[in-house]
């Protein structure tokens, strides 16, 4: 399959996938990486190209500095997506990734050919409902405890030798970024928005997710799933099924 000509995007596909007619672009959570979405490829319709965003400071971009401000992510990602606007575009972001995806959607709405068809925001409060946090200043033990509280993907390896030294600088950088982010008054989308929340998520309630309805003049819907902040891991098939139902259909 075609690999995007951008340091920001990684393409995943199952062998024998059909030519892409729709691009689904997925944005990772704080501390997360593009490969978090790798397993989605086999659950999506054959005409869908799965792209995952690779933030600086992780995977093959490990040697790069992490972004300091959300615009440092949203601006170049929007440019990369707008440069290849041959097929319909749908955005999915989880937690911090939902905020990044929303800002990318706002930028792409100004480019007629690259306007997103839909924005999925998962595990993230709507603009104006954000909770303040001091997570960036937690010591290692407190930070590990918070990751466990949220049900973090891979949290069980936090006490293995070397893991904290490898992961925590990236996690703290992402927390600094998202804790300093305040959506401007211009965060008013026309893109339809689908919000997803975990029924037992300690970081984002369904009502906080519902605030996304005021951030768009397009249609809005909210879906809840059993689980904590990382409900989309055990509920992967249900989440991807919902996403697939709302993607543009394959052309005849």
């Amino acid at each position: 399959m075609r690999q995007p000509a951008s340091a920001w995007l990684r393409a995943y596909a199952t062998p024998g996938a059909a030519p892409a007619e729709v691009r689904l672009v997925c944005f990772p959570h704080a501390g997360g990486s593009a490969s978090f979405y790798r397993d989605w490829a086999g659950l999506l319709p054959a005409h869908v190209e799965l792209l995952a965003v690779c933030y600086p400071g992780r995977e093959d971009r490990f040697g790069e500095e992490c972004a300091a401000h959300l615009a440092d992510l949203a601006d170049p990602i929007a440019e990369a997506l707008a440069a290849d606007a041959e097929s319909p575009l749908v955005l999915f972001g989880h937690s911090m990734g939902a905020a990044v995806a929303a800002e990318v959607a706002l930028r792409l709405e100004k480019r007629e050919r690259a306007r997103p068809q839909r924005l999925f925001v998962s595990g993230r409060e709507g603009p104006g409902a954000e909770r303040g946090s001091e997570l960036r200043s937690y010591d290692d033990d407190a930070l590990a405890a918070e990751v466990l509280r949220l049900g973090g993907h891979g949290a069980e390896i936090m006490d293995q030798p070397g893991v904290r030294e490898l992961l925590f600088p990236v996690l703290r950088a992402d927390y600094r970024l998202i804790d300093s982010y305040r959506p401007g008054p211009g965060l008013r989308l026309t893109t339809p928005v689908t919000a997803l929340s975990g029924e037992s998520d300690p970081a984002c309630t369904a009502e906080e997710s519902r605030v996304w309805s005021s951030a768009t003049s397009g249609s809005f819907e909210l879906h809840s799933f059993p689980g904590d902040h990382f409900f989309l891991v055990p509920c992967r098939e249900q989440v991807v099924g919902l996403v697939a139902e709302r993607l543009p259909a394959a052309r005849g």
Side-chain angles (χ1 to χ4, degrees):
M1 188 183 69
R2 177 185 67 88
Q3 185 68 26
S6 170
W8 292 93
L9 303 172
R10 303 291 176 270
Y12 299 113
T14 52
E21 298 181 17
V22 177
R23 292 178 297 161
L24 173 63
V25 184
C26 295
F27 296 72
H29 51 281
S33 59
S35 59
F36 178 77
Y37 293 102
R38 184 192 303 272
D39 292 342
W40 284 32
L43 301 174
L44 288 164
H47 70 289
V48 178
E49 179 180 30
L50 175 63
L51 301 174
V53 173
C54 183
Y55 303 138
R58 58 217 82 191
E59 296 190 328
D60 59 333
R61 303 185 70 185
F62 183 77
E64 299 179 39
E65 291 289 333
C66 294
H69 305 285
L70 196 138
D72 297 335
L73 299 176
D75 288 344
I77 294 169
E79 289 294 329
L81 293 174
D84 182 12
E86 295 181 1
S87 52
L89 179 66
V90 175
L91 310 181
F92 183 104
H94 180 68
S95 198
M96 181 187 86
V100 182
E103 289 288 347
V104 170
L106 187 67
R107 287 157 173 76
L108 292 177
E109 285 187 349
K110 300 173 183 177
R111 303 168 181 257
E112 188 59 36
R113 290 183 62 247
R115 292 173 61 85
Q117 303 269 319
R118 181 173 294 273
L119 168 66
F120 290 89
V121 287
S122 169
R124 174 73 184 172
E125 317 96 307
E130 295 88 356
R131 305 181 188 184
S133 142
E134 295 298 325
L135 291 173
R136 61 192 182 278
S137 61
Y138 280 17
D139 64 26
D140 285 359
D141 288 341
L143 192 58
E146 178 63 14
V147 172
L148 287 169
R149 185 180 78 92
L150 295 176
H153 180 64
E156 67 279 357
I157 68 170
M158 285 295 171
D159 290 325
Q160 293 185 11
V163 170
R164 294 187 181 187
E165 291 82 356
L166 186 67
L167 297 182
F168 280 12
V170 173
L171 190 57
R172 284 198 173 89
D174 285 352
Y175 280 145
R176 283 195 296 270
L177 179 151
I178 199 62
D179 286 349
S180 65
Y181 168 64
R182 295 294 179 270
L187 184 52
R188 179 67 176 175
L189 301 162
T190 60
T191 302
V193 172
T194 297
L196 290 72
S197 68
E199 293 172 357
S200 304
D201 186 350
C204 179
T205 67
E207 286 309 306
E208 289 169 331
S209 294
R210 194 180 299 278
V211 175
W212 282 102
S213 63
S214 64
T216 182
S217 60
S219 63
F220 174 81
E221 57 183 2
L222 172 64
H223 297 267
S224 295
F225 294 84
D228 54 29
H229 189 61
F230 286 92
F231 64 89
L232 72 173
V233 175
C235 295
R236 180 183 293 115
E237 292 188 5
Q238 300 97 305
V239 170
V240 178
L242 172 67
V243 172
E245 289 175 0
R246 280 145 182 80
L247 295 175
R251 294 189 292 269

